[in-house]
């Protein structure tokens, strides 16, 4: 099992550009999550999906959209990137109990 | 909404010293509690978790945590740290009866163990 995978690992964008962060899990989990990690702030929930076909906003959803493409995949889209979105983005999945995290995407917006 | 406080932002210890990292949460209902560790350049890994039962929970790598419901606390402990424990540690809470299954994280504690 690969667990939770994310692509890309690193990305540099210019202000106003768009991009999609990809996440996939092979553990057959229903729930999937997107977090951002900023220094001194821990992880903050952007969006989550309790099951295929459903998505809900977390603490910091502004500037982001998500798609739960199927049970395995949950993508995060930045339509018009801003410097405030410079962060490390983690995807996670969960069935019962703990959440399993992907390796992260380090995004810099210039 | 629940919140999690980790009061120690940066801790520096010598090898073999004992460790205790504080974690307090604010939610009066049923909670699940977690400690995650993030080694430099890596993703988060679960150290231990508490769902119910014995409030003293043992995790991997010699870590343990004690849930004290009256104090809304879930402190992480290790009797003797090693250089390889240098990492960032996150406490997290899931307020089970809110229906939301996402975790709320504390701001993290950076542990530096000096050889």
């Amino acid at each position: 099992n690969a667990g939770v995978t994310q692509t890309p690992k690193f990305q540099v964008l210019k202000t106003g550009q768009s991009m999609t962060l990809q996440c996939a899990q092979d553990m057959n989990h229903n729930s999937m999550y997107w977090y951002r990690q900023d220094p001194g702030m821990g992880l903050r929930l952007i969006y989550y999906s309790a099951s295929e076909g459903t998505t809900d906003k977390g603490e910091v959803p502004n500037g982001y959209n998500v798609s739960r493409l199927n049970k395995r995949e949950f993508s995060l889209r930045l339509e018009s990137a801003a410097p405030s979105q410079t962060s490390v983005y983690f995807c996670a999945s969960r069935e019962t109990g703990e959440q399993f995290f992907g390796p992260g995407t380090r995004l810099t917006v210039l | 909404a629940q919140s999690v406080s980790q009061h120690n932002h940066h801790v520096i210890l010598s090898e073999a010293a004992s460790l205790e990292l504080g974690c307090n949460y604010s939610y009066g209902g049923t909670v699940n509690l977690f400690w995650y560790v993030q080694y430099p350049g890596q993703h988060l890994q679960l150290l231990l978790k508490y769902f119910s039962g014995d409030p003293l929970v043992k995790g991997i790598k010699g870590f343990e945590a004690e849930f004290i419901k009256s104090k809304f606390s879930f402190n992480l402990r290790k009797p003797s740290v090693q250089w390889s424990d240098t990492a960032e540690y996150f406490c997290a809470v899931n307020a089970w009866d809110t229906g939301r299954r996402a975790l709320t994280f504390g701001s993290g504690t950076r542990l530096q163990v000096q050889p």
Side-chain angles (χ1 to χ4, degrees), chain B residues 13-109:
Chain B
L13 295 174
S14 298
E15 275 193 314
S18 64
L19 170 72
E20 180 160 6
L21 301 182
C23 172
N24 288 89
Y25 65 93
S26 64
Y27 185 73
T30 303
V31 292
N32 300 146
L33 298 157
F34 305 82
W35 275 98
Y36 281 86
V37 61
Q38 186 178 32
Y39 297 103
Q42 296 189 25
H43 62 284
L44 278 78
Q45 302 170 45
L46 183 70
L47 269 181
L48 48 79
K49 61 188 177 187
Y50 172 80
F51 279 23
S52 63
D54 188 345
L56 185 60
V57 179
K58 294 196 183 299
I60 60 172
K61 306 187 181 189
F63 286 92
E64 65 178 31
E66 185 175 13
F67 171 49
I68 303 179
K69 190 174 182 179
S70 61
K71 295 185 178 180
F72 298 91
S73 70
F74 190 55
N75 292 354
L76 181 71
R77 299 195 291 248
K78 186 171 184 179
S80 176
V81 295
Q82 301 172 316
W83 178 79
S84 58
D85 293 324
T86 294
E88 191 153 18
Y89 293 81
F90 294 94
C91 181
V93 169
N94 173 209
W96 191 249
D97 51 4
T98 63
R100 181 175 134 170
R101 298 293 181 260
L103 296 177
T104 299
F105 284 85
S107 57
T109 297

Side-chain angles (χ1 to χ4, degrees), chain A residues 28-87:
Chain A
N28 204 36
H29 289 168
N30 278 312
S31 300
M32 296 186 73
Y33 307 84
W34 276 105
Y35 293 89
R36 59 178 287 174
Q37 183 182 25
D38 302 293
M41 302 187 75
L43 276 77
R44 292 180 293 167
L45 182 68
I46 305 171
Y47 271 94
Y48 68 104
S49 170
S51 61
E52 184 179 352
T54 68
T55 60
D56 287 285
K57 294 179 180 180
E59 301 170 62
V60 288
N62 291 346
Y64 305 96
N65 284 302
V66 290
S67 295
R68 184 73 184 268
L69 305 168
N70 48 54
K71 193 170 186 179
R72 288 187 65 250
E73 298 171 291
F74 187 38
S75 62
L76 178 72
R77 182 160 178 85
L78 287 70
E79 291 291 351
S80 179
S84 60
Q85 294 177 304
T86 293
S87 187

